[in-house]
Amino acid sequence: MNWLEKLVYRLQILLFRISTGKARIFLARQLGVRIGNNCELYYCNLSTEPYLISIGNNCKITYGVTFMTHDGAKWVLERNGDFIGSKFGPVTIRDNSFVGVNSIIMPNVTIGPNSVVGAGSVVTKDVPPNTVYAGNPARFICTYAEYLEKCRAQNTGTISRAEMRSVLEKMFEHELDQRSKASERQVH
């Protein structure tokens, strides 16, 4: 890569970081990410090989997600003379999947379709279709059907931002009161 190509690449990365919405998706595609239709892509780290990242249709990649497409830890092996070369792997997010805030997706991982990765997860192995995974390392939490039931149990319906506080405080009144009383006991 000559100096002009490096400059253009660095400008694309900078624009990707400060852009939003459709502009960010356009720039991700310019960097080599294969990305489907109807996706939401918040600021994330596309690693140094964005062309190894594939995102299906109707996916949401939230803020702070890191896609790892290489294994830099092989440096230790190189220093000992046990390994010479590189180690890369693709990351694939299949249709209708969600990756939560600050998650890390390691090389050679496929997520979904119809799957959820919880916030702060470190995904080192495939996430099967129709599942919810979370944690470090990410592990099975529940099925799509079980998650749907949990969501239905706490469904507020469509509410405006102005109504949200009063609706949620009423909905969780018992839990909030218990936590408040527990906090008061700890202070005294």
Side-chain angles (χ1 to χ4, degrees):
M1 197 183 276
N2 67 35
W3 70 270
L4 184 57
E5 289 171 325
K6 285 181 184 178
L7 178 64
V8 168
Y9 177 76
R10 290 184 192 275
L11 286 172
Q12 286 176 316
I13 293 294
L14 177 63
L15 287 172
F16 176 79
R17 288 181 177 167
I18 62 173
S19 65
T20 59
K22 291 181 182 184
R24 180 169 286 143
I25 289 172
F26 172 80
L27 289 164
R29 287 180 176 138
Q30 294 299 304
L31 291 166
V33 177
R34 292 172 188 88
I35 187 165
N37 297 318
N38 302 314
C39 291
E40 291 183 45
L41 186 63
Y42 291 79
Y43 172 71
C44 57
N45 181 347
L46 298 176
S47 197
T48 53
E49 302 79 30
Y51 45 85
L52 292 178
I53 301 168
S54 178
I55 301 170
N57 296 315
N58 305 308
C59 292
K60 187 170 187 174
I61 310 300
T62 58
Y63 182 83
V65 170
T66 297
F67 294 99
M68 296 300 301
T69 56
H70 63 274
D71 184 348
K74 53 95 179 156
W75 178 89
V76 174
L77 305 173
E78 289 175 330
R79 295 297 171 248
N80 288 332
D82 296 328
F83 182 85
I84 297 173
S86 301
K87 185 178 171 200
F88 297 93
V91 173
T92 304
I93 313 296
R94 299 216 187 273
D95 293 349
N96 198 42
S97 291
F98 174 92
V99 181
V101 171
N102 292 329
S103 292
I104 300 171
I105 315 301
M106 298 302 287
N108 297 306
V109 165
T110 297
I111 296 171
N114 300 313
S115 294
V116 173
V117 172
S121 296
V122 177
V123 184
T124 60
K125 296 178 181 166
D126 290 352
V127 174
N130 303 304
T131 58
V132 175
Y133 272 61
N136 180 5
R139 63 181 177 78
F140 175 78
I141 302 298
C142 63
T143 66
Y144 176 94
E146 291 166 334
Y147 182 60
L148 176 60
E149 287 305 312
K150 289 177 186 179
C151 288
R152 286 180 175 158
Q154 292 184 335
N155 186 359
T156 59
T158 304
I159 56 175
S160 70
R161 198 76 185 146
E163 298 173 294
M164 189 174 291
R165 181 176 179 168
S166 62
V167 169
L168 294 177
E169 283 180 338
K170 184 175 181 181
M171 183 177 196
F172 297 109
E173 183 176 17
H174 180 70
E175 291 90 342
L176 293 170
D177 285 345
Q178 283 183 327
R179 290 181 184 162
S180 177
K181 288 175 186 174
S183 295
E184 288 174 11
R185 282 188 295 243
Q186 288 177 352
V187 171
H188 296 295

